[in-house]
């Protein structure tokens, strides 16, 4: 089986891979064996088109995407002896060699025919994965030689890339003109409240996550600790890693805690915020603004 996820310069979309899962399910139920070829840019372990022996196969099934272009035409030449079937595809030009090279096209949409549901719609159900907001900064140059921001961001993102989770990059910066950013705190808080976990090296990444009742795995990017450490202490939040102690073991420990007991702890801190259980600077602001007697 092949698709746009198989070509060297193709791409693997979630919809394409789910469509593949639907076809795999049908073939397994029918007791039919198959191999799937992948782009080396997506799955380095393969198998890849360049490595497979066309003579080892009797059929070629092309899954999902548009039936169009020289890459699809090359499949017809290379697998000329095979029965070639396209399934769940879009037919843009019925007369193109990419289309006419197939013995049969089970299209999802084509001129002159009614559409059928995309294969991804009936793909086998998937287990839920943690949804993780990632709030990182590479700035804060005011900390000078104590800055470890670049190293922290690189280590955290490298570690996150290996986690089986849905990652959502977020910004605490507001912008009324950039559609990719929240324009108000309420918009950002609505996102944070729907997450399972926030990974952050920002003070407000920590505070806003807890305000939303979402556990935060916080890393202080300043050697020796700075405002992130101070704020974690002020909030009574334990899931904090110092820049000097940043390693996979520490991250894994707090990751597990945040996704288990951390949710209840975050909600208790949210309740304490709302109740005003701990003082903040504004509590003494009016007093500070009062006239002072002349010295």
């Amino acid at each position: 089986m092949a698709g746009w996820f198989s070509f060297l310069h193709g791409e693997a979309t979630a919809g394409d891979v789910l469509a593949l899962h639907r076809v795999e399910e049908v073939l397994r139920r029918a007791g039919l064996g198959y191999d799937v070829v992948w782009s080396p840019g997506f799955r380095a372990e393969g198998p890849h088109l360049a490595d497979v022996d066309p003579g080892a196969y009797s059929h070629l099934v092309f899954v999902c995407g548009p039936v169009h272009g020289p890459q699809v035409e090359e499949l017809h030449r290379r697998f000329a002896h095979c029965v070639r079937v396209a399934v769940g595809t879009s037919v843009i030009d019925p007369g193109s060699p990419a289309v006419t090279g197939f013995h049969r096209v089970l299209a999802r949409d084509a001129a002159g025919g009614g559409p059928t549901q995309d294969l991804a719609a009936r793909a086998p159900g998937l287990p839920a994965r943690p949804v993780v907001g990632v709030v990182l900064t590479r700035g804060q140059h005011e900390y000078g030689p104590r800055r470890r921001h670049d190293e922290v961001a690189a280590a955290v993102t490298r570690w996150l890339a290996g986690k089986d989770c849905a990652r959502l990059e977020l910004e605490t910066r507001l912008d009324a003109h950039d559609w990719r950013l929240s324009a108000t705190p309420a918009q950002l808080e609505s996102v944070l409240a729907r997450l399972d976990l926030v990974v952050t090296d920002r003070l407000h990444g920590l505070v806003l996550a807890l305000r939303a009742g979402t556990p935060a795995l916080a890393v202080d990017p300043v050697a020796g600790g700075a405002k992130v450490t101070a704020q974690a202490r002020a909030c009574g939040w334990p899931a904090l890693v110092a820049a000097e102690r940043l390693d996979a073991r520490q991250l894994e420990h707090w990751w597990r805690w945040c996704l288990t007991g951390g949710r209840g702890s975050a909600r208790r801190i949210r309740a304490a915020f709302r109740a005003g259980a701990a003082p903040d600077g504004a509590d003494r602001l009016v007093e500070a603004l009062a006239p002072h007697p002349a010295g």
Side-chain angles (χ1 to χ4, degrees), residues 194-287:
R194 286 163 171 78
L195 302 176
D196 295 303
L197 171 66
V198 170
V199 176
T200 185
D201 66 356
R202 305 201 69 154
L203 179 152
H204 281 127
L206 168 63
V207 173
L208 298 183
L210 296 179
R211 177 183 161 87
T214 300
L217 197 174
V219 181
D220 194 323
V222 179
K227 60 185 178 181
V228 175
T229 297
Q231 195 57 215
R233 185 178 302 120
C235 294
W237 184 250
L240 174 72
V241 181
E244 301 93 322
R245 299 184 60 199
L246 179 59
D247 58 32
R249 185 181 63 84
Q250 287 283 325
L251 293 170
E252 289 289 344
H253 169 75
W254 288 117
W255 173 276
R256 290 191 297 270
W257 181 82
C258 284
L259 291 176
T260 53
R263 170 66 69 174
S265 296
R267 288 175 176 170
R268 286 190 290 272
I269 290 176
R270 176 183 63 184
F273 285 173
R274 292 177 176 177
D280 65 15
D283 287 323
R284 300 184 63 184
L285 177 59
V286 174
E287 175 190 338

Side-chain angles (χ1 to χ4, degrees), residues 34-282:
Y34 62 88
D35 290 323
V36 179
V37 288
W38 296 97
S39 165
F42 182 61
R43 290 196 179 170
E45 67 274 16
H48 306 136
L49 276 173
D51 304 327
V52 298
D53 175 14
Y57 301 96
S58 61
H59 292 72
L60 171 73
V61 177
F62 187 84
V63 181
C64 200
V67 183
H68 172 77
Q71 291 166 298
V72 179
E73 294 173 26
E74 176 59 26
L75 285 179
H76 294 312
R77 287 189 287 269
R78 190 165 176 211
F79 293 85
H81 68 286
C82 289
V83 175
R84 298 179 301 282
V85 178
V87 57
T89 54
S90 295
V91 176
I92 301 164
D93 177 5
S96 77
V99 177
T100 59
F102 285 105
H103 294 89
R104 191 165 182 191
V105 177
L106 306 173
R108 67 184 172 194
D109 52 86
T116 62
Q117 283 187 350
D118 182 74
L119 295 171
R122 289 179 57 195
L126 301 174
R129 295 292 185 260
V131 182
V132 180
V134 184
V135 185
L136 300 174
T137 177
R138 296 178 185 271
Q140 300 180 345
H141 294 276
E142 63 269 24
Y143 288 103
R146 297 173 60 203
R147 290 184 72 255
R148 301 292 184 272
H149 295 63
D150 291 340
E151 298 95 314
V152 164
V156 168
T157 53
R158 184 169 57 248
W159 170 75
L160 275 172
K163 300 298 293 181
D164 187 7
C165 64
R167 293 168 288 273
L168 183 62
E169 186 176 15
L170 298 173
E171 275 272 6
T172 59
R173 180 171 63 88
L174 304 178
D175 193 318
H177 305 290
D178 188 339
W179 66 269
R180 294 167 296 184
L181 299 177
S182 296
T184 67
Q187 293 173 9
L188 179 59
E189 190 167 294
S190 295
V191 175
L192 295 173
R194 286 163 171 78
L195 302 176
D196 295 303
L197 171 66
V198 170
V199 176
T200 185
D201 66 356
R202 305 201 69 154
L203 179 152
H204 281 127
L206 168 63
V207 173
L208 298 183
L210 296 179
R211 177 183 161 87
T214 300
L217 197 174
V219 181
D220 194 323
V222 179
K227 60 185 178 181
V228 175
T229 297
Q231 195 57 215
R233 185 178 302 120
C235 294
W237 184 250
L240 174 72
V241 181
E244 301 93 322
R245 299 184 60 199
L246 179 59
D247 58 32
R249 185 181 63 84
Q250 287 283 325
L251 293 170
E252 289 289 344
H253 169 75
W254 288 117
W255 173 276
R256 290 191 297 270
W257 181 82
C258 284
L259 291 176
T260 53
R263 170 66 69 174
S265 296
R267 288 175 176 170
R268 286 190 290 272
I269 290 176
R270 176 183 63 184
F273 285 173
R274 292 177 176 177
D280 65 15

Side-chain angles (χ1 to χ4, degrees), residues 17-30:
V17 175
L18 283 172
L20 171 65
H21 291 344
R22 167 67 178 144
V23 174
E24 288 183 297
E25 178 184 52
V26 168
L27 295 183
R28 283 196 299 267
R29 287 178 177 174

